[in-house]
Amino acid sequence: RFSLLHLNLEEYYFEHHRANHIINKGCRDERKVRGSLKICSKSIIFEPDEIIQPIIKIPLRDCIAIKAPEDNETNNPFTWDTSGGISVICNQVFLIKERNIIGSYKTVRGKTEYLFQLDVAGKLGDVVQTLHQLYRASCLDKLGDQAAMITAILQSRLARTSFDKNRFQSISETLHMECKAEMVTPLVTNPGHVCVTDANLYFQPLNGYPKPVVQITLQNVRRIYKRRHGLMPLGLEVFCTENDLCSDIYLKFYNYQDRDELYFLIATYIENHITEHTAESYMLQWQRGHISNYQYLLHLNNLADRSCNDLSQYPVFPWIIADYSSSVLDLTKPETFRDLSKPIGALNKERLDRLLTRYREMPDPKFMYGSHYSSPGYVLFYLVRVAPEHMLCLQNGKFDHADRMFNSLAETWKNCLDGATDFKELIPEFYENDSSFLVNSLKLDLGKRQGGKTVEDVELPPWASGPDDFLQKCQEALESQYVSEHLHEWIDIIFGYKQKGSEAVAAHNVFHPLTYEGGVDLNSIMDPNEKVALLTQILEFGQTPKQLFTSPHPQRIVPKLRSLPRAPSHSVSIAESPVSPNEESFEDLTEESITLAWNNMAKLTLHEQYKIHKEAITGIAVTCNGSSVFTTSQDSTLKMFSRESKTLQRSVSFSNMALSSCLILPGDTTVICSSWDNHIYFYSIAFGRQQDVLMGHDDAVSRICWSDERLYSASWDSTVKVWRCVPGETLSNKKHHFELLAELEHDISVNTIDLSAASALLASGTKEGTISIWDVATATVLHQLPCHSGTVCDAAFSPADGRHLLSAGEDGCFKVTDVQTGMLISSVTAEEPQRCFRWDGNTILSGSQSGELLIWDLLGGKVTERIKGHAGAVTSLWMNEQCTSVVTGGEDRQIMFWKLQY
């Protein structure tokens, strides 16, 4: 029945002794109550074995005397039949769980003597000495002095003990580290010893409670996070699950060196098993629909130091639904939803205007809101029905007033909109499957409201048939299209660039300076009393999450619902259909076949290979029917190879300089080649001759693209040029007409370019590692990012939606950039540079420096397949539209033909 929650906040439980509580000593009705006497840093607690008896809590500060009566003392109640007795005289005690019912503590005031008799009389002297020490600490005037003295007593106890090695799972385990720490659970910290071996993480509580040792097998660890606890970088949280809200253990250390060493030991052990995820890697998974809105918010909370074990930093989730009065919840109407672009305090304009008036008149430091959106009190406001003892611990043994309880969803939402000091968001439980926090299943006496109504279950909105249905509809709302399209706006406010600075002021999102990370440096405060008071204030008030993003968060890629519902074909006539049924199904079929191809990319097999050049291959282009393959090389030649006859049919040289890339124009009549001699050559396939030449640049042309009668050329002269090409009439020997439409200036040589699917955007990569994203229509740069620490080898927009840009560099990194915001959202490091690639938004097929073809799971950040390929670097890679046929070229002068076999 005893719980650490019966202690005060910031109180420690040191030891326990089997004992009798002697009632009415020396009288006819004298009796002994068996139980356990617990010595805590601010109180003495007696837990009777009989559950009908209340737990007795005696605050040390209310004690008048604590003594072990001497044998020769007259009227000594112990002399005649026993020893090992302790007498405690006090002014006030609390009775907890009378008749084993959880409820407000009963306070007994007035001078009273309590007699306890220890089973082991030999321990009496030590126990009394400890109690005298703790009593002296509790009598100190200042909280800081009390805390310092209790800490000294605790550290002395920890120093006299060590981890019991007999608790190891195996005698063959090797000890790597041992140190002192505290295990953290909501509102409670429990001191003890931490041990890490080559197989397990152990925690042994000093008091042996709730069990002698907590053990976690390192092999089971999936995630590990450094935590800020009490504003100090001393916490560490370990998870053995991938997506769970609650961790397996949360430890708080006494110095950051111990914390960091333990983190390093566990992280080193698990790095072979799992990939550490960053906010950016989760963002990529979320944007692409691989994780839900709920899972993404859970991961962001974790990365921002929010933990279920720390009520001052509990995970924060948004209010989503704004309608608590309708009988049916309509998730297709925008007005059903809360405006996610504003903090709670800014949703009601009238209230906001009042707050802003006060804000403008306020001296520095200014803040708009006098309370936070997440605090221990708010968390327990929602959870009181399942965590009543936590509420009693936080509020000194009392429940809140019945009218201030979580009585009704509609009332709570209204108060968040209208209340002068109520700006709270929600907690994850509103979007999970356990509805017990909405139901008073423990039959708690939570008081009566003003109208005489007893506080029972939470009153639900009319559209919910019951608690489970309510949570189901909340989940549906969180995963709805509207929320998917707008959730990034809320993330900007809570975790992102609108959290601090001028953007926070503009978004009406300014809280008290103490709530922000770095708002106060506790180490710089020398006065222990000031430090304790400040820490208490911050922990009770609530804390703003760690800032994860400093630029606008990208929007989720939400597939637009088709205008034609997937209904049986007979219900819609072809005349009404915006798309012909055959056309739509063909489109779906193509999409499905491409997805199938990428899912089976590991089954890529080599069919044939040919050595047709004298130097490294630089470009590959294939005709629509796949019969002819054109390749360019550093040997300065363009070659035409026949797939059918497996023979080299043509070899053309335009100059003695290397060719850098090639492409075939629509219609398969012309091949365009770029050259290191600053020229671009047009070669007529039908007539077998050079048709035209464009002297377009002042240095080597590195890459060319073609779209919609426009040629895009990148060059080492630091430009990308956009040309409009009017084809020549070859028969009458008329040349192409070239008109320069735009010149995109760079600071250094451009090595690669790519066009988005709609040709509205162009990406360029330079020799210094910079990626630029350009608006082609206006010839303006939208984003310029220093992505790589060496030359950008290749870059490509995501084929289906163009929302992401993948780049590969000489530094061996793949980088994913969000096109809309310019935010770098994922980085994967390879063992060696990847020279060229193709991707579908999730999976990458890359050609490596060593000649292997690698298949990458981009979201998992790992190689899933290695395919033996060239004898030197893979320098060029072509893939057909169906993604089933691949041609590669390498430094080994080979071209290789690959097919998907599935």
Side-chain angles (χ1 to χ4, degrees):
R1 285 194 305 153
F2 168 75
S3 158
L4 293 178
L5 293 165
H6 297 148
L7 278 57
N8 294 359
L9 293 174
E10 305 294 315
E11 183 176 7
Y12 296 110
Y13 165 34
F14 285 141
E15 59 192 54
H16 73 100
H17 305 274
R18 294 296 295 163
N20 288 322
H21 172 210
I22 300 173
I23 301 169
N24 299 329
K25 178 69 182 169
C27 300
R28 196 176 297 167
D29 57 347
E30 176 189 320
R31 61 195 179 93
K32 294 179 180 178
V33 177
R34 288 289 290 156
S36 171
L37 188 69
K38 300 174 193 300
I39 312 301
C40 307
S41 58
K42 295 177 183 178
S43 59
I44 304 166
I45 294 176
F46 181 75
E47 178 191 16
D49 292 349
E50 289 179 43
I51 61 169
I52 201 159
Q53 297 286 342
I55 294 168
I56 300 166
K57 177 178 177 178
I58 308 171
L60 288 169
R61 67 170 186 273
D62 293 324
C63 290
I64 299 167
I66 300 169
K67 56 186 180 180
E70 298 297 330
D71 283 352
N72 57 5
E73 195 177 332
T74 53
N75 301 324
N76 176 3
F78 292 101
T79 50
W80 57 278
D81 67 348
T82 187
S83 59
I86 300 171
S87 162
V88 180
I89 301 169
C90 59
N91 284 322
Q92 177 173 257
V93 298
F94 297 107
L95 303 182
I96 303 170
K97 281 191 176 177
E98 255 190 307
R99 297 188 300 282
N100 205 30
I101 295 168
I102 298 169
S104 297
Y105 300 173
K106 184 179 175 184
T107 308
V108 180
R109 293 186 176 87
K111 188 175 175 181
T112 317
E113 182 176 24
Y114 285 84
L115 298 174
F116 301 103
Q117 180 187 3
L118 303 185
D119 282 13
V120 182
K123 290 185 178 178
L124 183 65
D126 289 342
V127 171
V128 172
Q129 188 183 355
T130 300
L131 285 173
H132 283 164
Q133 259 188 325
L134 293 169
Y135 173 65
R136 283 198 299 276
S138 69
C139 290
L140 294 170
D141 291 338
K142 294 180 176 175
L143 287 173
D145 296 338
Q146 285 183 28
M149 187 167 173
I150 289 168
T151 300
I153 295 167
L154 170 65
Q155 291 302 325
S156 165
R157 282 173 163 261
L158 286 168
R160 292 197 306 270
T161 56
S162 62
F163 187 88
D164 178 6
K165 309 297 187 294
N166 293 321
R167 295 285 179 183
F168 282 178
Q169 288 286 297
S170 159
I171 53 168
S172 62
E173 280 185 67
T174 307
L175 176 66
H176 285 322
M177 178 191 177
E178 182 181 348
C179 68
K180 299 174 286 186
E182 295 175 11
M183 189 166 98
V184 179
T185 51
L187 300 181
V188 168
T189 57
N190 201 12
H193 295 274
V194 168
C195 225
V196 186
T197 68
D198 52 354
N200 293 294
L201 165 68
Y202 297 98
F203 176 76
Q204 187 170 31
L206 189 63
N207 50 34
Y209 180 88
K211 54 184 182 180
V213 72
V214 177
Q215 178 240 333
I216 287 172
T217 307
L218 294 181
Q219 213 168 352
N220 295 339
V221 175
R222 286 290 160 270
R223 294 175 291 146
I224 178 168
Y225 297 99
K226 289 181 181 179
R227 293 283 188 233
R228 181 178 49 136
H229 186 272
L231 299 193
M232 303 288 278
L234 299 172
L236 188 75
E237 193 161 23
V238 179
F239 291 78
C240 293
T241 54
E242 199 54 61
N243 289 311
D244 273 15
L245 184 61
C246 295
S247 64
D248 291 78
I249 194 166
Y250 186 139
L251 297 169
K252 175 204 165 190
F253 296 80
Y254 295 112
N255 61 67
Y256 70 87
Q257 291 92 341
D258 284 348
R259 192 275 304 264
D260 290 352
E261 187 181 344
L262 189 79
Y263 178 87
F264 175 77
L265 285 169
I266 298 176
T268 305
Y269 181 90
I270 66 174
E271 70 180 351
N272 303 322
H273 303 263
I274 56 165
T275 312
E276 187 176 359
H277 286 293
T278 59
E280 288 76 19
S281 66
Y282 284 126
M283 183 200 293
L284 183 64
Q285 293 186 54
W286 173 70
Q287 271 196 291
R288 298 215 150 269
H290 289 257
I291 58 175
S292 65
N293 291 338
Y294 168 80
Q295 288 171 315
Y296 186 45
L297 289 176
L298 209 56
H299 289 310
L300 292 185
N301 271 289
N302 249 323
L303 292 166
D305 273 345
R306 312 303 282 189
S307 164
C308 287
N309 285 308
D310 184 352
L311 295 189
S312 70
Q313 297 188 93
Y314 202 78
V316 56
F317 269 60
W319 281 95
I320 292 291
I321 298 166
D323 175 3
Y324 294 95
S325 57
S326 301
S327 55
V328 177
L329 187 68
D330 187 348
L331 296 179
T332 62
K333 284 169 29 184
E335 51 269 33
T336 298
F337 299 93
R338 163 259 182 106
D339 183 347
L340 287 162
S341 68
K342 294 175 181 174
I344 289 290
L347 292 175
N348 179 337
K349 189 177 183 310
E350 284 177 31
R351 178 177 65 174
L352 180 63
D353 288 342
R354 290 195 299 273
L355 292 166
L356 290 177
T357 303
R358 190 192 67 173
Y359 171 74
R360 292 185 198 103
E361 294 166 356
M362 194 182 285
D364 286 336
K366 292 171 179 282
F367 52 91
M368 292 174 187
Y369 308 113
S371 65
H372 206 257
Y373 50 77
S374 173
S375 71
Y378 288 161
V379 173
L380 296 177
F381 167 85
Y382 292 125
L383 296 181
V384 63
R385 288 167 178 80
V386 287
E389 294 202 83
H390 290 81
M391 176 68 94
L392 293 169
C393 176
L394 187 70
Q395 302 204 146
N396 301 316
K398 294 183 180 68
F399 288 125
D400 206 347
H401 189 279
D403 284 302
R404 288 197 296 269
M405 285 280 186
F406 180 31
N407 291 305
S408 143
L409 259 305
E411 264 181 44
T412 304
W413 172 243
K414 185 178 184 306
N415 210 44
C416 288
L417 287 182
D418 303 338
T421 58
D422 194 347
F423 313 108
K424 59 179 169 281
E425 291 279 8
L426 293 183
I427 54 175
E429 282 78 356
F430 281 84
Y431 302 101
E432 293 176 348
N433 298 318
D434 183 0
S435 62
S436 57
F437 74 101
L438 299 167
V439 182
N440 186 12
S441 53
L442 295 174
K443 302 298 177 200
L444 302 167
D445 180 2
L446 298 172
K448 287 188 176 177
R449 304 189 64 182
Q450 277 181 341
K453 192 178 176 185
T454 307
V455 176
E456 289 294 343
D457 300 347
V458 178
E459 194 180 311
L460 301 173
W463 45 257
S465 61
D468 290 343
D469 183 55
F470 171 75
L471 291 193
Q472 175 70 35
K473 287 189 166 74
C474 286
Q475 289 170 24
E476 288 167 12
L478 181 62
E479 304 303 334
S480 67
Q481 178 151 344
Y482 178 90
V483 174
S484 292
E485 287 172 354
H486 293 276
L487 189 58
H488 65 286
E489 298 171 333
W490 186 81
I491 292 169
D492 283 336
I493 290 166
I494 305 296
F495 303 105
Y497 81 113
K498 290 182 179 178
Q499 192 198 81
K500 294 178 184 173
S502 58
E503 293 287 354
V505 176
H508 305 127
N509 192 36
V510 182
F511 293 86
H512 195 286
L514 290 179
T515 67
Y516 295 94
E517 185 178 27
V520 62
D521 178 10
L522 282 183
N523 290 325
S524 67
I525 300 170
M526 302 325 296
D527 181 348
N529 301 303
E530 189 186 337
K531 188 181 282 191
V532 167
L534 197 62
L535 189 57
T536 305
Q537 182 187 344
I538 290 162
L539 297 184
E540 287 180 6
F541 189 88
Q543 291 172 263
T544 301
K546 181 196 287 184
Q547 189 173 20
L548 299 178
F549 309 106
T550 52
S551 57
H553 191 288
Q555 190 176 13
R556 194 174 197 187
I557 300 167
V558 182
K560 292 292 175 194
L561 296 169
R562 292 177 182 274
S563 52
L564 182 68
R566 291 190 177 277
S569 54
H570 63 259
S571 66
V572 180
S573 73
I574 287 172
E576 292 169 342
S577 170
V579 182
S580 78
N582 291 342
E583 196 182 320
E584 188 182 11
S585 59
F586 176 73
E587 197 180 288
D588 287 352
L589 213 59
T590 309
E591 209 173 291
E592 279 171 26
S593 66
I594 288 172
T595 304
L596 186 65
W598 276 102
N599 288 344
N600 287 279
M601 200 53 74
K603 295 172 182 167
L604 202 62
T605 50
L606 180 63
H607 262 237
E608 47 205 14
Q609 61 191 86
Y610 304 95
K611 190 178 282 188
I612 58 172
H613 282 280
K614 293 176 182 172
E615 294 288 342
I617 288 156
T618 57
I620 301 168
V622 182
T623 53
C624 282
N625 60 9
S627 62
S628 298
V629 179
F630 290 86
T631 55
T632 51
S633 165
Q634 286 182 5
D635 66 9
S636 80
T637 61
L638 167 70
K639 307 224 176 200
M640 176 178 165
F641 183 85
S642 168
R643 289 292 301 273
E644 289 160 353
S645 64
K646 298 181 175 30
T647 56
L648 182 64
Q649 295 193 323
R650 295 183 199 174
S651 181
V652 186
S653 196
F654 301 111
S655 74
N656 59 359
M657 298 282 280
L659 296 176
S660 57
S661 70
C662 63
L663 58 85
I664 299 176
L665 291 188
D668 288 351
T669 57
T670 307
V671 179
I672 311 179
C673 306
S674 56
S675 171
W676 283 9
D677 68 1
N678 314 354
H679 294 15
I680 297 163
Y681 295 95
F682 288 70
Y683 174 80
S684 168
I685 300 172
F687 292 93
R689 63 170 182 241
Q690 180 182 317
Q691 185 178 330
D692 217 331
V693 62
L694 170 59
M695 292 175 274
H697 289 274
D698 300 325
D699 204 338
V701 182
S702 52
R703 191 70 65 96
I704 50 174
C705 294
W706 176 276
S707 175
D708 196 23
E709 303 300 323
R710 281 170 170 71
L711 174 69
Y712 302 81
S713 57
S715 167
W716 295 354
D717 68 5
S718 310
T719 67
V720 174
K721 292 183 177 177
V722 185
W723 311 85
R724 193 163 73 87
C725 298
V726 181
E729 295 164 25
T730 315
L731 286 173
S732 57
N733 275 333
K734 281 190 179 172
K735 302 284 189 183
H736 276 76
H737 172 64
F738 302 107
E739 180 190 346
L740 182 62
L741 297 178
E743 192 167 327
L744 314 179
E745 294 280 355
H746 296 69
D747 296 330
I748 198 161
S749 304
V750 183
N751 196 56
T752 187
I753 53 171
D754 188 54
L755 282 169
S756 65
S759 307
L761 302 175
L762 177 141
S764 57
T766 70
K767 285 199 170 179
E768 274 188 352
T770 302
I771 288 284
S772 301
I773 299 172
W774 301 80
D775 180 336
V776 174
T778 59
T780 52
V781 69
L782 301 175
H783 306 292
Q784 203 160 38
L785 308 151
C787 280
H788 298 275
S789 56
T791 301
V792 180
C793 302
D794 203 355
F797 289 95
S798 47
D801 49 55
R803 284 285 299 274
H804 292 134
L805 179 77
L806 178 67
S807 57
E810 259 183 356
D811 55 4
C813 289
F814 278 119
K815 299 284 177 92
V816 181
T817 304
D818 181 74
V819 172
Q820 195 180 38
T821 60
M823 185 187 281
L824 181 69
I825 58 171
S826 185
S827 181
V828 178
T829 307
E831 294 164 4
E832 58 179 342
Q834 303 300 304
R835 295 282 295 273
C836 49
F837 67 81
R838 290 289 179 274
W839 75 312
D840 72 337
N842 304 310
T843 308
I844 309 169
L845 170 66
S846 68
S848 70
Q849 185 73 31
S850 62
E852 284 183 310
L853 293 187
L854 302 182
I855 292 151
W856 297 78
D857 168 15
L858 180 58
L859 302 172
K862 58 181 184 287
V863 175
T864 55
E865 193 69 38
R866 294 173 179 271
I867 303 168
K868 197 168 163 32
H870 292 265
V874 184
T875 50
S876 191
L877 192 157
W878 173 90
M879 180 183 273
N880 68 342
E881 270 186 41
Q882 291 76 36
C883 308
T884 53
S885 177
V886 172
V887 184
T888 58
E891 276 181 353
D892 59 0
R893 299 165 286 168
Q894 300 262 12
I895 56 166
M896 293 185 171
F897 294 92
W898 307 80
K899 270 211 162 56
L900 265 190
Q901 304 280 38
Y902 63 90

